[in-house]
Amino acid sequence: MIRMRIFVAGATGAVGFEFVRLAKTEGHWIETLSRSAENARKLAGVADQVVVQDACRAVPNLDGIDVVVSSLGAPVTMGGKEKRSFHEVDFKGNLKILEAAKAARVPRFIYVSVHVETGYSSTAYIRAHEEFVDALRNSGLSYSIIRPTGIFPALNDFVMMAQKGMATVVGDGGARTNPVHAADVAAVVFGLLASGPLETSVGGPDVFTRREIAELAFKVIGKRPLVMSVPPGLFRFGAKVVGWVNPRMGDLLEFVTAVSLTDCVAPKVGRQR
């Protein structure tokens, strides 16, 4: 096995952390980028070198790095602390990393993006990802783009709603998706370190409707399901109103509305349920 020097952005996120643990177990040298010292402490003993730095401001010198893996992105949960826009984090932050990789002549770049369907492709959240995808395609670097469906932690909002006694779904909740475990996505990334297809979509083994996911959250915590349908128009109106005060939250609600009404099913690559 050739021991690679890997730079990982987004290493404290669900996919990033699983990837760092896997790559380190397999004997690779890992440098990570973390926005805060608090997050960096999570990587103590896992990564070889942890740089505390905000990718949206600056990126360390990447000389000697064999491959960059980026799962950097603003969270899509309602309780996320990130206030900056998806464009600021998902596009500009990754663009700075790409520019640093090009300057250091890093041979390969792997980007964890998102599986896209037409029904939500025009949202601000997806546009931010796709703008970076375009930049990566035109970078001249060897690259692979991993496109997972919803990562399991992105569904935690359903659990939080269930704990409060009632969950909501947009429309009738009939749109289908197959969410995937972060470790399964990390395994796909690991398998593409040296080479691989330009784009790979990754879904989990089970397909659920949005309503079934909400009901499953109640089952997990041992409560009787109480799921209320919210008209899509009302959700869209709410997104616009919230966006006047908090643009990022408005963009998040826009995405949640659109993706909740659209089938988002990728190849069943993942195994964990």
Side-chain angles (χ1 to χ4, degrees):
M1 180 190 71
I2 299 177
R3 188 173 189 246
M4 291 185 174
R5 294 175 64 87
I6 306 171
F7 178 83
V8 183
T12 56
V15 174
F17 190 76
E18 292 287 355
F19 172 79
V20 169
R21 290 201 302 181
L22 174 59
K24 188 60 183 171
T25 298
E26 295 296 325
H28 297 288
W29 187 91
I30 309 295
E31 178 180 347
T32 65
L33 182 67
S34 181
R35 180 182 175 187
S36 70
E38 179 183 358
N39 284 342
R41 284 192 286 271
K42 300 175 185 177
L43 298 164
V46 182
D48 295 279
Q49 182 172 328
V50 180
V51 177
V52 180
Q53 199 161 291
D54 187 343
C56 293
R57 298 180 181 274
V59 178
N61 188 300
L62 300 182
D63 286 345
I65 295 296
D66 296 308
V67 57
V68 169
V69 173
S70 179
S71 59
L72 175 71
V76 290
T77 56
M78 295 298 179
K81 297 179 180 179
E82 179 63 70
K83 301 300 182 184
R84 295 174 296 184
S85 70
F86 294 118
H87 185 266
E88 186 72 19
V89 178
D90 294 69
F91 172 62
K92 289 187 176 180
N94 279 296
L95 189 62
K96 282 189 177 295
I97 298 168
L98 178 59
E99 290 169 347
K102 290 167 64 177
R105 299 183 183 276
V106 175
R108 185 158 170 77
F109 197 114
I110 299 177
Y111 176 50
V112 180
S113 181
V114 59
H115 179 73
V116 180
E117 298 288 354
T118 304
Y120 54 90
S121 61
S122 63
T123 61
Y125 175 72
I126 296 299
R127 290 200 307 271
H129 285 78
E130 293 306 290
E131 285 183 53
F132 178 70
V133 165
D134 288 342
L136 182 56
R137 287 171 178 156
N138 294 321
S139 68
L141 301 183
S142 168
Y143 71 88
S144 284
I145 299 161
I146 316 303
R147 294 185 175 276
T149 54
I151 308 298
F152 285 176
L155 304 177
N156 284 346
D157 285 338
F158 282 106
V159 178
M160 294 176 65
M161 287 189 287
Q163 288 171 336
K164 294 179 180 179
M166 185 176 70
T168 59
V169 293
V170 183
D172 63 7
R176 302 174 307 127
T177 188
N178 57 331
V180 62
H181 196 290
D184 285 325
V185 181
V188 172
V189 173
F190 184 80
L192 299 177
L193 283 177
S195 62
L198 298 182
E199 301 198 21
T200 302
S201 285
V202 181
D206 302 313
V207 178
F208 303 96
T209 66
R210 299 287 174 176
R211 180 173 289 275
E212 287 171 339
I213 291 173
E215 292 171 346
L216 183 60
F218 282 94
K219 181 178 180 180
V220 166
I221 64 172
K223 285 188 176 182
R224 183 178 178 180
L226 179 57
V227 182
M228 181 179 71
S229 296
V230 178
L234 183 59
F235 228 96
R236 292 191 183 98
F237 177 74
K240 290 182 179 179
V241 171
V242 170
W244 293 336
V245 180
N246 185 335
R248 185 189 175 282
M249 184 58 69
D251 288 343
L252 174 56
L253 290 174
E254 173 200 37
F255 171 71
V256 168
T257 304
V259 76
S260 296
L261 296 170
T262 306
D263 283 350
C264 176
V265 180
K268 297 180 179 181
V269 176
R271 297 181 178 181
Q272 299 195 50
R273 292 183 159 85

